[in-house]
Amino acid sequence: MKNHSKIGKSNTESGVTLIEILIAVSLLSLLSVGMLVAMRLGFTTMDKTDTRLVRNRRVSNTRGIIESEIEGFIYSAANYRPQRDAIRTVPFLQTEAQSMRFVTSYSLEDGWRGRPRIAAIQVIPGENTRGGQQGVRLIVNETLYTGPDQAGQEILGIEQDPAGPQTIRFAPIVPGPQSFVLADRLAYCRFSWLEPRREPLFQLWRPDWVQPQLLPLAVRIEMAPLARSVDSGPTELRIGTVTVPFNVNRSPGGDYADMP
């Protein structure tokens, strides 16, 4: 009888109570919720980091593209035809406050390995942002360069000032599906040109270039982004001023003057 009573007593003391099960399930639920919250925070942080890296990479690529386009500058001529039997040969370089057009050995499609292109860089109005701000954007159009006759077709006229140099009027740079956006959501974007002077300070940045027969020493593209967005941080790269010297790497009438 004693043995049977001991066995029955031990059986009643073993097992798990309902309260213990509820506590275990509650702890497991809290642990699962904590893990899900931590994973969500991790994914959100990763997405923000990836977005910031993409923006930083875009800013870096924009500077690299602008510098490469101008560093590949080819001094070339344009055969402008005011009449069918008349030809005026002028330097092919558009230098305005918000427009720039020239021949370059660099292209977005082929890099430094392809044939020369006519690069037309233009400032155009941008799209409205969430805050209602409408900034500007910087685009570039590239056209395969075939020679001075093709370049002359982009000139609308030449005006000769009796008291000064001639002024070359270029055709408008029209944005289209082929346009590549170099920079977007800019508060402003303007070009200036470095002019050598004989008197101090010996150099002067000017918004217009009135010496088409001479090359400026450099071009400066001043850009500033719109106000910082909510998700931008102090470590995010911001587009700024780009200054590139004009280094002529080919002479007029060179290898591409009579390109078919």
Side-chain angles (χ1 to χ4, degrees):
M1 295 296 295
K2 292 182 179 180
N3 293 334
H4 290 292
S5 62
K6 290 182 179 180
I7 294 175
K9 186 177 180 180
S10 62
N11 289 335
T12 57
E13 293 177 354
S14 63
V16 180
T17 62
L18 180 60
I19 296 178
E20 293 175 338
I21 294 176
L22 292 176
I23 293 175
V25 172
S26 300
L27 291 176
L28 181 60
S29 301
L30 292 175
L31 181 61
S32 301
V33 171
M35 293 178 61
L36 291 176
V37 171
M39 292 177 61
R40 184 171 182 177
L41 291 175
F43 285 129
T44 302
T45 303
M46 184 177 64
D47 292 339
K48 290 182 178 180
T49 303
D50 290 341
T51 302
R52 187 169 300 171
L53 288 175
V54 170
R55 291 177 182 174
N56 291 347
R57 191 178 297 113
R58 182 176 181 83
V59 171
S60 178
N61 290 341
T62 296
R63 296 184 63 91
I65 292 173
I66 294 175
E67 292 173 354
S68 298
E69 293 272 10
I70 302 175
E71 286 175 356
F73 171 76
I74 299 175
Y75 187 85
S76 57
N79 292 334
Y80 170 63
R81 298 178 182 270
Q83 299 176 357
R84 179 174 299 180
D85 299 332
I87 299 177
R88 293 187 61 179
T89 302
V90 295
F92 185 72
L93 175 62
Q94 182 180 4
T95 53
E96 299 178 4
Q98 292 190 327
S99 301
M100 183 178 181
R101 185 164 8 199
F102 56 96
V103 179
T104 178
S105 58
Y106 177 86
S107 66
L108 294 170
E109 182 178 357
D110 300 324
W112 296 99
R113 301 179 299 275
R115 301 172 68 181
R117 308 292 176 102
I118 295 178
I121 305 177
Q122 174 73 26
V123 181
I124 63 172
E127 298 180 354
N128 291 330
T129 61
R130 294 180 181 178
Q133 295 177 308
Q134 183 180 11
V136 296
R137 60 176 49 169
L138 184 65
I139 65 170
V140 59
N141 295 343
E142 290 186 346
T143 307
L144 189 65
Y145 176 69
T146 58
D149 290 336
Q150 177 213 11
Q153 296 177 3
E154 302 197 18
I155 297 178
L156 297 180
I158 300 177
E159 300 175 358
Q160 184 67 46
D161 187 358
Q166 63 184 9
T167 302
I168 302 175
R169 294 189 294 109
F170 286 85
I173 301 174
V174 181
Q178 78 284 354
S179 302
F180 182 81
V181 179
L182 292 172
D184 200 1
R185 298 182 179 181
L186 300 175
Y188 62 85
C189 180
R190 50 180 176 259
F191 300 164
S192 56
W193 317 90
L194 184 60
E195 177 187 20
R197 307 287 294 253
R198 294 184 177 180
E199 64 274 3
L201 303 165
F202 301 106
Q203 292 181 349
L204 175 65
W205 287 103
R206 53 185 307 155
D208 57 345
W209 186 254
V210 295
Q211 305 181 64
Q213 301 298 330
L214 300 176
L215 285 178
L217 297 178
V219 56
R220 181 172 63 190
I221 304 178
E222 298 177 82
M223 295 176 284
L226 292 172
R228 288 182 179 269
S229 58
V230 178
D231 57 346
S232 63
T235 59
E236 183 175 343
L237 293 179
R238 312 292 286 177
I239 192 69
T241 301
V242 180
T243 304
V244 188
F246 275 100
N247 297 318
V248 181
N249 55 29
R250 292 187 186 275
S251 59
D255 299 339
Y256 305 99
D258 299 324
M259 185 179 297

